[in-house]
Amino acid sequence: MPTEKATFAAGCFWGVEKVFQRHFKKAGITTKVGYTGGVTQNPGYKLVCTGSTQHAEAIEITFDPSQVTYEILTEFFYRMHDPTTENRQGPDVGSQYRSAIFYHSPEQKAIAERVTKEVQEQHYKGQPIATRIVPAGEFYDAEEYHQEYLEKNPDGYECPTHFLRW
């Protein structure tokens, strides 16, 4: 079975990557962190942090849909961050930390819209979800030291905003 890609932005990409890897490692996902949704070609971390490139820190997940579905990954995305905050996750503030789903097909778009509606109705009544659902564009890999950063630095920084909410 061919693999698919899922691309999500939910704040600090270190934490997003760690939480997805921890929960879906047995399903055989692979991840990389990078930048997407902006206007500058091949941006670097320092430039993205200025907000001028309009990129989001994001994770690209490669997965086998016979092992884990896009719907399950999307539902999990909503559980592991606060989708009601605009351009912020915990102490990380700026458009690069926005909540976004970058869909790769019309089927992914339909799933993302349906799951978003369900999450809104079941978990965030009265709090509008700020997550943007937009077409996937060019994904630029982050610098090598960002890849699996929290795995490589277990005694270092921990992203305090990425935990399961419900």
Side-chain angles (χ1 to χ4, degrees):
M1 179 137 218
T3 60
E4 293 184 30
K5 292 193 184 309
T7 306
F8 301 111
C12 169
F13 52 23
W14 294 345
V16 176
E17 181 178 50
K18 181 177 181 179
V19 174
F20 269 103
Q21 285 179 343
R22 184 181 321 138
H23 289 276
F24 294 103
K25 191 173 195 169
K26 290 181 181 178
I29 70 164
T30 59
T31 62
K32 61 182 176 176
V33 297
Y35 317 108
T36 194
V39 296
T40 304
Q41 290 188 338
N42 203 27
Y45 181 72
K46 288 183 180 181
L47 189 57
V48 169
C49 285
T50 69
S52 66
T53 70
Q54 300 175 21
H55 287 87
E57 286 193 14
I59 179 174
E60 186 177 84
I61 301 168
T62 302
F63 66 100
D64 176 345
S66 71
Q67 299 296 311
V68 63
T69 65
Y70 183 75
E71 181 173 1
I72 288 171
L73 294 172
T74 304
E75 289 169 351
F76 186 81
F77 158 81
Y78 277 113
R79 290 184 65 206
M80 51 83 57
H81 81 294
D82 181 356
T84 67
T85 56
E86 183 81 25
N87 298 329
R88 178 185 189 127
Q89 287 299 309
D92 298 322
V93 179
S95 61
Q96 69 271 27
Y97 299 115
R98 67 187 177 267
S99 175
I101 298 171
F102 298 90
Y103 61 85
H104 293 266
S105 69
E107 294 80 21
Q108 284 189 355
K109 179 182 181 188
I111 291 167
E113 289 173 342
R114 181 177 47 75
V115 169
T116 301
K117 183 178 179 190
E118 291 169 0
V119 168
Q120 176 71 65
E121 292 170 355
Q122 294 172 11
H123 302 285
Y124 293 101
K125 287 185 180 180
Q127 293 179 282
I129 288 180
T131 303
R132 300 172 192 170
I133 300 172
V134 295
E138 189 73 33
F139 185 91
Y140 298 98
D141 292 359
E143 297 80 353
E144 182 55 36
Y145 72 93
H146 287 295
Q147 306 300 328
E148 298 184 336
Y149 181 86
L150 295 177
E151 185 74 24
K152 294 175 191 171
N153 299 280
D155 297 325
Y157 178 79
E158 182 70 36
C159 292
T161 58
H162 296 102
F163 58 90
L164 300 184
R165 288 174 157 56
W166 34 269

